[in-house]
Every structure is written in C-alpha cells, then in structure tokens.
C-alpha cells in the first residue's frame, strides 16, 4: 500500500508537505507511510476517499482503478476543496467571510426581486 499511497500523492500533484498538511500529519510521517514503516490509519484513508474520491480498494489491495467513478456535482468543485485544504486557518476564515458576504448580497437581491413581484 505504501507505493500506491506515494503514487496517489504524485497523481494528485501534491508534495509530501502538502499531503502532510491535508492529513494533519508531519512530513516525516508521510515519508514513513510511503516507505512502509507505518501503516496508514483508517481515518486518513477515509479522509482521502472523501476529499479525492479515492477507491480505497485500489489503495489497500491494488485492485480496481485509483479513483471511484466521479459524481458530476462533486467533481465540479473538487479543485476548490483541494485548494481550501492547502490554506492556513486564517486564510480559510477570510474565504468564509467573503463567501458570507456573497450569500448576503445574493439573498438581498432575491428579496428585492420577490418584493417587486409582490408589489406589481
């Protein structure tokens, strides 16, 4: 599994320190996983599956394809999830604040449209 873990990281175009940040592990631990010195914990496997649509059967046994069949709606925003995972907590807060502003603006527009329909 260690070779497939490394192959996966490389396919995702992630450096070891990127993968460490995403999995909340040290870069050294990622190196240990890739060298087969430590087994990868189940919660990390599930996180990889959730974030990148990884076929755990492939990762664990080598059977099947690397990725599960992608759901169209999920794959559309996968780049965003991947990018957010690379951001610091402070940067994520900024993104959340900006998203909240956008939602508020959208809600205000919808309220104005609905008000106009009710008045007319």
């Amino acid at each position: 599994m260690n070779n497939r873990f490394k192959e996966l990281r490389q396919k995702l175009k992630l450096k070891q320190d990127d993968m460490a940040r995403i999995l909340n592990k040290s870069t050294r631990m990622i190196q240990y996983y890739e060298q087969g010195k430590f087994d990868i914990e189940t919660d990390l496997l599930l996180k990889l599956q959730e974030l990148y649509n990884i076929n755990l059967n492939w990762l664990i046994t080598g059977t099947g394809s690397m990725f599960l069949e992608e759901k169209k709606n999920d794959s559309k925003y996968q780049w965003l999830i991947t990018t957010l995972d690379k951001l610091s907590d402070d940067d994520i807060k900024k993104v959340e604040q900006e998203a909240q502003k956008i939602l508020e603006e959208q809600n205000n527009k919808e309220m104005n449209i609905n008000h106009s329909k009710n008045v007319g």
Side-chain angles (χ1 to χ4, degrees):
M1 179 165 59
N2 57 316
N3 290 330
R4 287 184 296 280
F5 180 76
K6 182 177 183 177
E7 182 182 347
L8 171 65
R9 178 183 60 75
Q10 292 172 337
K11 176 76 172 178
L12 294 171
K13 298 182 178 159
L14 297 171
K15 297 177 184 173
Q16 287 179 333
D17 59 333
D18 294 330
M19 184 68 92
R21 209 172 10 264
I22 290 165
L23 297 178
N24 199 27
K25 295 289 181 180
S26 68
T27 302
R28 175 48 96 193
M29 187 56 88
I30 299 303
Q31 292 169 347
Y32 287 155
Y33 292 149
E34 291 183 359
Q35 295 166 0
K37 292 183 179 181
F38 286 93
D39 290 334
I40 304 169
E41 297 93 358
T42 303
D43 61 321
L44 299 182
L45 296 175
L46 293 173
K47 185 172 185 174
L48 287 170
Q49 182 181 43
E50 180 183 328
L51 291 173
Y52 301 107
N53 209 29
I54 303 305
N55 179 354
L56 292 184
N57 192 40
W58 171 83
L59 187 57
I60 295 167
T61 68
T63 304
S65 60
M66 184 182 292
F67 297 97
L68 296 171
E69 185 177 319
E70 291 192 30
K71 300 173 189 169
K72 290 182 182 178
N73 293 338
D74 291 345
S75 63
K76 181 177 178 181
Y77 302 105
Q78 190 59 50
W79 66 269
L80 180 60
I81 293 168
T82 302
T83 301
L84 287 172
D85 279 332
K86 295 178 184 178
L87 297 178
S88 69
D89 289 342
D90 289 340
D91 288 336
I92 288 175
K93 287 191 187 303
K94 291 176 189 175
V95 171
E96 288 173 346
Q97 291 168 350
E98 194 61 34
Q100 189 62 38
K101 287 179 192 176
I102 293 168
L103 287 174
E104 288 171 6
E105 289 172 7
Q106 183 178 344
N107 287 336
N108 288 338
K109 287 178 187 176
E110 289 173 5
M111 288 176 58
N112 288 337
I113 290 170
N114 289 335
H115 178 62
S116 296
K117 287 180 182 177
N118 291 337
V119 171

